[in-house]
Amino acid sequence: MRIIFAGALFILAGCASLSDDLKAAGSKCPQTATVTTFVTCLNDSEEAVFQKDAPENLPDYRAFAAARLDLARNLETGKITSAQFADGTAKAGAQFAALLVQKARARQQEAAARRDEQDVQDMQGVKPTMSTGDMGMGGMGGGMGGMGM
């Protein structure tokens, strides 16, 4: 029962290397007799990837991982069925994915706003190469003071 959806999730968020690292981490978790043991392994392996590749998303990952582990425990104690576990895991994963996409868009918008602000500052900082007083008379200034009159 593989419950790795993270690869597709992080491609959505534009993190292909994160996706590859999560796939590799998940492949280290052997199928076990208990779902809780397997999910604990996934959580630990994936958390290490988040710490390395996307530390800004670590708190959100931990919330997702806790929800997934809670579902695994409920499955093992008979509180929920396999179908409910699968549904609950899919919903938690979809919420996590939506949050990551939302945060990625917010970061992109912030970066665009900073670039726009910098562009405005750069335009305001541009100084003309010639002052109006330097026009005419071959750059000798428009005044008569330099002509001895």
Side-chain angles (χ1 to χ4, degrees):
M1 171 191 282
R2 283 278 181 202
I3 39 184
I4 300 176
F5 65 93
L9 164 72
F10 298 109
I11 289 174
L12 285 174
C15 306
S17 65
L18 180 60
S19 174
D20 293 342
D21 290 348
L22 287 169
K23 286 178 190 175
S27 69
K28 295 177 185 175
C29 296
Q31 296 291 332
T32 63
T34 66
V35 176
T36 302
T37 303
F38 177 68
V39 168
T40 299
C41 178
L42 281 179
N43 288 352
D44 292 345
S45 299
E46 291 173 354
E47 183 168 329
V49 172
F50 272 95
Q51 285 176 334
K52 181 181 96 155
D53 292 346
E56 69 278 6
N57 294 320
L58 191 55
D60 299 316
Y61 173 76
R62 286 179 176 152
F64 161 72
R68 181 168 59 178
L69 185 58
D70 188 50
L71 287 163
R73 288 179 180 141
N74 286 340
L75 176 63
E76 286 185 358
T77 60
K79 293 179 183 175
I80 63 173
T81 65
S82 292
Q84 290 169 317
F85 171 77
D87 185 51
T89 302
K91 284 179 183 175
Q95 289 172 344
F96 180 46
L99 185 59
L100 290 183
V101 169
Q102 178 184 11
K103 286 186 171 189
R105 285 183 183 147
R107 282 191 301 272
Q108 290 171 346
Q109 289 171 345
E110 288 172 15
R114 282 192 303 274
R115 284 191 305 272
D116 290 347
E117 185 178 315
Q118 185 62 48
D119 289 346
V120 169
Q121 290 175 358
D122 290 347
M123 286 192 295
Q124 290 173 344
V126 173
K127 296 184 176 138
T129 56
M130 290 181 18
S131 71
T132 55
D134 288 338
M135 296 190 156
M137 306 270 305
M140 297 176 71
M144 302 294 266
M147 301 191 88
M149 296 189 177

